Amino acid sequence: MAQVVKMVEEALRQAPSARPSVVRLMVSTQSHFFEHDAAALQSVFAAAAEGTVAERAMLEILPVPVTGHCRLCGTACEMKALLQCCPGCGSANLDAEPVPEVVLHEVVVEE
């Protein structure tokens, strides 16, 4: 989360008086972020943001689906779990399309 706070600070560098109220992240559904509940992620973010421009901002996570392709039968499917079998043939040989794990999508600032 420290890296997320750094991204927010960089995004607001040109507006030093702006205070973010919401930080929205686009996060791959294959990310370790989804091993934690929203309250835990908010707590970790709040701790990392303490004393920074992002202090008091709320964290929102926007899930980004990941498409997998079966190496055996070629079926494409949305990967809803880290370990998943192909819905076409049952194989566990799925390759996930590469997507960034975490992207700073939007910083909403207070007026």
Side-chain angles (χ1 to χ4, degrees):
M1 285 297 180
Q3 187 61 34
V4 171
V5 172
K6 286 180 184 178
M7 289 189 296
V8 171
E9 290 176 325
E10 182 62 32
L12 297 177
R13 185 157 294 183
Q14 300 301 319
S17 63
R19 294 288 172 241
S21 58
V22 179
V23 173
R24 290 191 180 107
L25 300 179
M26 294 175 64
V27 179
S28 160
T29 55
Q30 297 291 293
S31 170
H32 69 281
F33 271 59
F34 291 103
E35 296 172 4
H36 310 284
D37 64 30
L41 292 172
Q42 182 63 46
S43 293
V44 173
F45 175 75
E50 191 172 328
T52 73
V53 68
E55 190 170 29
R56 296 188 191 91
M58 295 299 297
L59 180 69
E60 289 184 9
I61 305 288
L62 306 172
V64 177
V66 174
T67 301
H69 297 276
C70 179
R71 286 185 232 153
L72 297 181
C73 73
T75 297
C77 63
E78 183 177 332
M79 296 187 68
K80 297 179 181 177
L82 291 176
L83 299 174
Q84 179 176 324
C85 292
C86 173
C89 70
S91 166
N93 292 317
L94 294 176
D95 289 323
E97 287 185 356
V99 296
E101 183 177 357
V102 178
V103 173
L104 178 61
H105 175 66
E106 183 176 34
V107 178
V108 178
V109 296
E110 298 173 350
E111 293 293 326

